[in-house]
Amino acid sequence: MTEQTAAVKAVVRAIAERLEAEREHLTDLDSAIGDADHGGNMARGWAEAATAVEDLDDTDVATVVKTAGRTLMSEVGGASGPLYGGSLVFASAELDDGLTDETLVAFAETYLEKVTDRGDAAVGDQTMVDALVPAVHTFKKSIEVDDLPAIEALAKAVDAAERGVAFTVPIRASKGRASYLGWRSVGHQDPGATSTLFILETLLATTRERLDADLASSVDATSPVTPEEDPEA
């Protein structure tokens, strides 16, 4: 297994743990404007996805992402399965050549395209798109225009997603079950945008941890050994 494949598996495991920890919070958000199943669906789906990718031997990054997506499609009920899982399956093809700045941008753009196509949602509809659009646009600009490393671009994308989540609170829902509430949806944070932020935050934290570990390992292996001082010299 390559380092990249191991890293992607670790991200899937970490997302499963984060969404299990946030299950109740997401359920509370969804109870206010939806059918109260988002927390349970996401926690169960990502837990099954983590198990499925662990069972893969000697595989590549694209296959890990596709397997996670297919598992979400089969395990997550309602609209979330096709939105989160189906979009992952489709976008995974962009990672056939591994993880590079170019493939990561292409993956993010394709994932966003599929989410917006499947959900027929736009910014301002009070959905996960309100977090995803600014995140993907910020990630792409940070790499292609500002020439930042991918990890710094991801950090900026997380900040943009956080602002997108806050944006959902004062607006009226135009898509999904929350739209049935009309103006009563105003004042509620969208659970889909929130879980999208949790996924991005976990992706960033896990990637940083692995980069720090790799850097520490590299420093330990290359640091010169300081000879002990001879007090008699």
Side-chain angles (χ1 to χ4, degrees):
M1 184 190 307
T2 68
E3 286 294 324
Q4 289 191 350
T5 303
V8 174
K9 284 187 173 184
V11 167
V12 176
R13 287 196 302 272
I15 291 173
E17 292 170 0
R18 176 70 185 277
L19 292 178
E20 177 58 39
E22 302 287 357
R23 175 196 289 255
E24 186 174 347
H25 177 52
L26 291 172
T27 298
D28 288 344
L29 291 176
D30 200 28
S31 295
I33 56 175
D35 47 14
D37 64 352
H38 191 65
N41 275 339
M42 295 298 284
R44 183 181 62 256
W46 279 96
E48 292 294 334
T51 299
V53 302
E54 285 303 316
D55 291 339
L56 296 173
D57 293 325
D58 193 24
T59 188
D60 53 56
V61 168
T63 301
V64 172
V65 174
K66 183 182 294 183
T67 300
R70 284 177 172 168
T71 307
L72 291 175
M73 288 181 68
S74 64
E75 297 294 334
V76 177
S80 294
L83 284 174
Y84 290 79
S87 300
L88 273 183
V89 170
F90 201 91
S92 66
E94 303 290 353
L95 302 177
D96 282 343
D97 293 329
L99 304 178
T100 67
D101 287 355
E102 292 75 16
T103 62
L104 288 170
V105 169
F107 171 82
E109 287 190 302
T110 301
Y111 182 81
L112 172 60
E113 177 186 347
K114 291 304 163 187
V115 167
T116 53
D117 285 351
R118 291 171 186 270
D120 191 29
V123 170
D125 286 337
Q126 199 191 60
T127 70
M128 64 186 290
V129 171
D130 290 318
L132 196 57
V133 165
V136 172
H137 289 184
T138 299
F139 184 70
K140 177 181 173 69
K141 175 183 178 294
S142 296
I143 287 180
E144 295 186 349
V145 179
D146 301 331
D147 201 25
L148 294 178
I151 188 67
E152 293 184 28
L154 179 57
K156 289 184 175 295
V158 170
D159 289 342
E162 186 173 10
R163 292 192 292 275
V165 171
F167 172 66
T168 66
V169 176
I171 62 176
R172 174 180 172 175
S174 303
K175 295 290 181 182
R177 295 182 67 86
S179 64
Y180 303 155
L181 298 177
W183 287 105
R184 287 182 291 146
S185 63
V186 174
H188 294 282
Q189 182 172 305
D190 181 67
T194 305
S195 62
T196 297
L197 173 62
F198 291 159
I199 290 169
L200 290 172
E201 287 178 338
T202 307
L203 172 60
L204 175 62
T206 307
T207 304
R208 275 179 168 163
E209 287 174 4
R210 295 188 71 88
L211 288 176
D212 288 345
D214 289 345
L215 179 61
S217 175
S218 174
V219 169
D220 289 341
T222 58
S223 294
V225 177
T226 304
E228 294 182 1
E229 292 185 2
D230 182 355
E232 301 298 328

